[in-house]
Amino acid sequence: MDGSNLATLVRQLSDVSLALLLSLIARGHCILTTSTPEEADALADEVVSIATDIFALPPAIVQCTADMTLETFVSALLTSPSPARTPPISHLGQQDCYFSTAGPSHSHIAPLVLLRDLDAASETVQAQVLELMRSRAIQTRRGPLHAPEPFLVVAQLVQAGARPTLLAPLLEQFFLSHPKAPAADDAASTASQHSVIHRPASAVPRPPHAPNAHAPLPPAALTHLRALADAVTMSGELQRYVHDIAVHLRLHRGVRGGGVSARATRDFKTLVRGLAALHGLDFVTPALVQLAVFKVYAHRIRLVRRVEEERSVLWGSDERVVGEFVKDVEVEGVIEDVLAAVRAP
């Protein structure tokens, strides 16, 4: 795959496709969010279509609920090893895949797992998701079930601008998050051609996503893109820029402890290199850093929600004024404050 073919591929893919591709390049997992349940249904259909038509990864769709058991959850992740079976696997109520004596060889974990409404699941199920993402395996009484390569977990959440309500260690494990804008915003974003996934909606005019709208990604394309990302260089000035952004985020008055971790900074650098590779560059630019910071930190940052959590109260700030600040603070505003404060090289 040469540079021109890569550029053509990137311009043909939707914003959701690019978010999934960047996660696959980094061997990470992603969060996709919508603002209404109606948009969530359309997004789920798009993810399934992308998984089967572009990445050739048969998906398993798991509709998470508060009363879901571990047995039901695990059985919903499994799919038949038969290559002829391509339809997605829905939320199953069967337990034969998990406890039957047939053995793990008769089923395996789907290569792409779409977890709808993961925040509605119990902490026990969320902990199992975390273990699956970290170890790429599930321990059962018959022995471990290993995830294939490539493997991608996609958490689909309905969020109206709020931070996802997931376990903190689970949020930390997700590589990036991407808000899917309503279709009405798609046309408005076509004027922005500066970067892939520069805005929540795609910046490239295209017909509505439909099956077979794009040719499947060649088998060697993912390996090639990973090699390109690994070869991307980051100058000392850009390294310092990334470090300064992380420090300013950690010290921002609207951020309480946690979220801006060493793992997040590592994912930050990995995403920047992946974006550079998709842009056909072998070096990092400040614009790519500014794009990546929203994708990496938006779901991780923990905002102050009470007056006493805001640092300036400790040295005499007016609690009424601080209360107004706490009420209005948002993750996007925090990140924009930091980008305005840190000078780009």
Side-chain angles (χ1 to χ4, degrees):
M1 178 181 291
D2 57 28
S4 60
N5 289 338
L6 178 60
T8 301
L9 168 67
V10 169
R11 284 172 172 78
Q12 288 178 344
L13 295 179
S14 69
D15 58 318
V16 175
S17 302
L18 290 167
L20 300 184
L21 179 57
L22 285 165
S23 300
L24 288 169
I25 291 173
R27 293 184 173 88
H29 309 281
C30 70
I31 296 174
L32 300 177
T33 61
T34 59
S35 56
T36 67
E38 293 75 19
E39 295 167 1
D41 292 337
L43 178 58
D45 292 340
E46 182 177 358
V47 171
V48 169
S49 181
I50 291 169
T52 54
D53 299 333
I54 297 180
F55 299 127
L57 301 176
I61 306 173
V62 183
Q63 179 62 58
C64 299
T65 59
D67 58 352
M68 172 182 280
T69 64
L70 282 177
E71 290 80 4
T72 303
F73 170 73
V74 173
S75 66
L77 302 177
L78 305 182
T79 183
S80 168
S82 172
R85 186 185 178 102
T86 56
I89 309 303
S90 304
H91 175 190
L92 302 176
Q94 304 170 356
Q95 297 188 13
D96 57 333
C97 291
Y98 188 55
F99 287 116
S100 72
T101 58
S105 61
H106 289 261
S107 57
H108 62 260
I109 299 174
L112 189 146
V113 176
L114 176 61
L115 303 176
R116 300 194 60 180
D117 300 324
L118 178 58
D119 50 346
S122 65
E123 291 188 359
T124 302
V125 171
Q126 291 188 30
Q128 184 63 73
V129 174
L130 174 61
E131 180 62 25
L132 172 63
M133 292 166 62
R134 293 182 60 180
S135 66
R136 294 179 176 251
I138 291 179
Q139 300 298 327
T140 74
R141 62 179 58 183
R142 301 191 311 270
L145 292 172
H146 295 281
E149 172 59 36
F151 176 62
L152 176 61
V153 174
V154 180
Q156 183 184 334
L157 309 176
V158 178
Q159 299 287 334
R163 181 175 179 269
T165 54
L166 299 174
L167 295 176
L170 180 57
L171 276 176
E172 181 69 17
Q173 196 69 24
F174 281 102
F175 176 64
L176 63 81
S177 61
H178 176 67
K180 177 63 176 176
D185 292 345
D186 237 9
S189 67
T190 58
S192 173
Q193 300 289 340
H194 304 302
S195 174
V196 295
I197 62 171
H198 181 76
R199 295 190 176 190
S202 173
V204 181
R206 62 188 182 279
H209 188 88
N212 301 321
H214 304 291
L217 215 62
L222 189 57
T223 301
H224 178 66
L225 287 170
R226 286 172 175 169
L228 290 178
D230 290 339
V232 170
T233 59
M234 187 180 297
S235 67
E237 290 83 358
L238 267 299
Q239 294 269 12
R240 184 188 63 193
Y241 185 44
V242 168
H243 175 75
D244 288 347
I245 288 175
V247 170
H248 278 70
L249 282 173
R250 192 175 290 119
L251 297 178
H252 192 280
R253 62 179 298 199
V255 178
R256 61 186 176 94
V260 190
S261 62
R263 179 187 177 88
T265 303
R266 184 172 69 248
D267 288 348
F268 189 11
K269 295 178 180 179
T270 301
L271 179 57
V272 169
R273 290 189 169 93
L275 285 168
L278 289 184
H279 282 82
L281 302 175
D282 60 359
F283 58 91
V284 173
T285 67
L288 295 179
V289 173
Q290 294 163 9
L291 168 63
V293 66
F294 287 92
K295 303 299 177 184
V296 171
Y297 289 108
H299 64 286
R300 287 181 162 106
I301 291 178
R302 303 178 189 176
L303 299 176
V304 296
R305 289 306 181 194
R306 296 181 297 175
V307 172
E308 55 268 26
E309 294 176 343
E310 208 278 325
R311 298 184 187 94
S312 67
V313 174
L314 298 176
W315 52 83
S317 291
D318 188 325
E319 292 190 3
R320 181 182 58 81
V321 175
V322 173
E324 291 296 321
F325 167 77
V326 170
K327 183 176 64 175
D328 297 332
V329 67
E330 295 180 351
V331 170
E332 290 76 10
V334 168
I335 296 175
E336 289 170 357
D337 286 349
V338 168
L339 292 179
V342 179
R343 186 178 65 87

